[in-house]
Amino acid sequence: ALQQELAQTTSELEAEQRDYERQIQEERNMASKLRAELEQMRIEHRNSCKAALERSEKQLAMLEGDVSSIKREGDLELSGLRGRSEKLRDRIQGLEHALED
């Protein structure tokens, strides 16, 4: 009877140990899966941030180009207006001299 009880207890303990080992393995697998998912999320986040930064840099470069172009056009227009203004001043002075004579 004692021998049977010992065998039964041993069998139960071995079954319990196998169950714990199975649970531990399942938890290890789950932890490994979660680590892989976390790493994938990190990669996706890094790529997303990099793409957003690159888009911002391109937009900034385009805006800087637009600003430079507008400034150049403004400078050319201002130069043209100054030239015309100078010609008009010369013409006015010429007309004033003609009136004085």
Side-chain angles (χ1 to χ4, degrees), residues 35-74:
R35 273 193 296 276
E37 289 174 0
L38 178 61
E39 184 59 26
Q40 183 63 33
M41 287 175 63
R42 282 183 183 147
I43 290 168
E44 289 171 1
H45 178 71
R46 187 178 327 116
N47 291 342
S48 175
C49 288
K50 183 179 176 184
L53 180 61
E54 288 172 355
R55 279 193 306 274
S56 294
E57 288 172 346
K58 286 179 184 176
Q59 288 174 341
L60 181 59
M62 287 174 56
L63 288 173
E64 287 173 341
D66 291 345
V67 166
S68 291
S69 177
I70 290 169
K71 186 177 182 320
R72 272 192 310 277
E73 290 171 7

